[in-house]
Amino acid sequence: MDTSTIVWIIIGIVVVIAIVVVIIVMATGRQRREARIEADRRRAADLRQSAAETEAAARQREADAAMAEADAKQAEAAVAQARLDSDRLARESTDHRADAADLHSEADDRLQKADTLDPDVDTTVGKDPETEGTGRHGAPPAI
């Protein structure tokens, strides 16, 4: 074999090796690219799952906030009702006190009239300067 044939054989072998290397590089590059794409898909699915969980948590918090707001409004209504009841009871207490005072006054008037009408009660005997002019029950005689 002459040198030119050997050179062509070496060139052929180098070309075949270069082609094999190119094919291997392209094949591994495709595998790496497919692996990267699959990893990106998995990461995207994880992010979607995480977003769904976060959205569910946000909805739950909104529901909790709405319930807390409803409870607060209910408590405010109870306070307002208690305030109204307190005012009503205070008015009733004042009315009852006024009624009691009227009844005391009426009872005193009746006792005084009874002392005046009773022949056994002497409204003039034993007049004390402090109780002067009062009947048996300490009420002033009716005139």
Side-chain angles (χ1 to χ4, degrees), residues 8-42:
W8 283 109
I9 291 175
I10 292 176
I11 290 175
I13 292 172
V14 170
V15 168
V16 169
I17 290 174
I19 291 173
V20 169
V21 168
V22 168
I23 291 173
I24 290 173
V25 168
M26 286 176 40
T28 59
R30 183 180 308 147
Q31 288 174 349
R32 275 187 262 142
R33 197 173 4 193
E34 287 175 7
R36 188 173 14 95
I37 289 171
E38 188 59 34
D40 288 346
R41 282 187 184 122
R42 273 186 260 118

Side-chain angles (χ1 to χ4, degrees), residues 102-120:
D102 290 345
L103 290 174
H104 280 299
S105 176
E106 184 180 329
D108 288 342
D109 289 346
R110 286 184 183 177
L111 286 173
Q112 185 181 20
K113 187 173 184 177
D115 285 347
T116 304
L117 292 176
D118 191 352
D120 295 332

Side-chain angles (χ1 to χ4, degrees), residues 74-135:
Q74 186 176 9
E76 288 174 1
V79 166
Q81 183 61 45
R83 198 174 300 124
L84 290 173
D85 290 344
S86 172
D87 292 344
R88 178 184 52 80
L89 291 172
R91 283 191 306 274
E92 286 179 10
S93 172
T94 301
D95 292 345
H96 289 312
R97 287 183 196 277
D99 291 345
D102 290 345
L103 290 174
H104 280 299
S105 176
E106 184 180 329
D108 288 342
D109 289 346
R110 286 184 183 177
L111 286 173
Q112 185 181 20
K113 187 173 184 177
D115 285 347
T116 304
L117 292 176
D118 191 352
D120 295 332
V121 175
D122 185 8
T123 57
T124 61
V125 175
K127 288 188 178 179
D128 186 15
E130 291 180 18
T131 61
E132 186 174 337
T134 62

Side-chain angles (χ1 to χ4, degrees), residues 55-73:
E55 182 66 25
R59 286 188 183 134
Q60 181 61 41
R61 294 252 173 104
E62 286 174 348
D64 292 345
M67 288 178 65
E69 184 178 2
D71 289 346
K73 285 183 180 180

